[in-house]
Amino acid sequence: MSSIEKTAFGQLDADKRLQNPVFKDWTKKPGRFGFRGEIALKFAANIADEARPPEIVAAQVIAVAEEGKSGIDFLACYLLSFAYLEPLVDALRGALVPGGKYFLFCNNIDLSKRYQVSYEGVSFYILPIDEATVYNETLELFYIERNDLKKLDTAGKTDRMADAAMKFSAVFPEITYAEGLALMGPVRDPGANRPV
């Protein structure tokens, strides 16, 4: 029986970075493992053996990796700030590889802009997001009809998105990480305007 250890998620799982999984299993495509949930990017310091929520997470993660390959093939996620690209790369070091398709939906990027950023030899698509979900935005980006997914389970939907991602070839303006930091807007307080 194959297990997560044989994929690029193995070390992340061992490091307890794969959190709140909605899906964490083999997909319908042989040898492909899928994960949907959160990835802890920066852990909070433990106080008196009390495990605390991570300080920084990549949320709404949709990702797949092939058995026996060192890298994650496809990753889409929500980042509260574009600046979290750096902790994302640090946390996923070794699992992000040239040729992988990585889509980062950042809350503080101008809603009319899309970029590509190369960081430590890996290319990232940087996309804006406001009130939408990564799932819905990704379907729109890949021109996947919602009706086509109705009969599929989570594994099947994850496969469909990953397959579309691998074919994605749009080109956005290239910026550096430093330029992105200069362009990004203020970081929104996720707790603001929520009923107590």
Side-chain angles (χ1 to χ4, degrees):
M1 176 65 191
S2 302
S3 67
I4 193 171
E5 286 81 35
K6 295 178 181 172
T7 75
F9 295 119
Q11 191 57 52
L12 298 173
D13 196 43
D15 293 343
K16 297 191 170 29
R17 290 194 184 275
L18 302 183
Q19 304 205 344
N20 303 320
V22 177
F23 180 78
K24 185 177 163 188
D25 205 346
W26 298 100
T27 68
K28 303 291 190 212
K29 185 176 175 187
R32 178 189 274 172
F33 197 93
F35 174 76
R36 291 179 62 175
E38 293 181 349
I39 298 178
L41 304 183
K42 184 181 177 193
F43 290 108
N46 281 355
I47 296 174
D49 290 339
E50 178 193 342
R52 300 169 69 208
E55 282 181 26
I56 302 175
V57 298
Q60 302 180 43
V61 172
I62 306 166
V64 302
E66 299 285 333
E67 183 178 13
K69 283 172 69 176
S70 63
I72 291 170
D73 295 308
F74 159 62
L75 169 84
C77 69
Y78 170 93
L79 296 178
L80 186 61
S81 171
F82 169 77
Y84 294 168
L85 171 61
E86 186 174 28
L88 177 99
V89 171
D90 285 343
L92 276 67
R93 193 165 298 285
L96 299 173
V97 292
K101 298 285 184 140
Y102 307 127
F103 302 84
L104 310 182
F105 291 86
C106 304
N107 192 274
N108 61 344
I109 291 289
D110 184 322
L111 288 173
S112 66
K113 307 286 189 207
R114 293 172 167 187
Y115 302 109
Q116 274 175 266
V117 172
S118 187
Y119 191 89
E120 293 193 8
V122 178
S123 183
F124 297 89
Y125 295 96
I126 307 298
L127 302 130
I129 192 166
D130 189 17
E131 296 301 316
T133 64
V134 167
Y135 180 79
N136 288 339
E137 291 288 300
T138 307
L139 292 185
E140 203 170 293
L141 183 68
F142 298 158
Y143 299 106
I144 298 174
E145 287 294 329
R146 213 172 286 272
N147 285 341
D148 295 345
L149 302 179
K150 274 192 174 155
K151 293 190 173 122
L152 300 176
D153 61 7
T154 304
K157 288 174 184 169
T158 303
D159 275 331
R160 182 68 64 88
M161 295 170 95
D163 290 342
M166 300 326 268
K167 295 181 191 135
F168 188 78
S169 59
V171 177
F172 303 144
E174 284 256 0
I175 60 169
T176 64
Y177 178 61
E179 286 169 336
L181 291 177
L183 287 166
M184 72 182 191
V187 177
R188 184 177 62 82
D189 175 2
N193 302 326
R194 292 225 175 128
V196 178

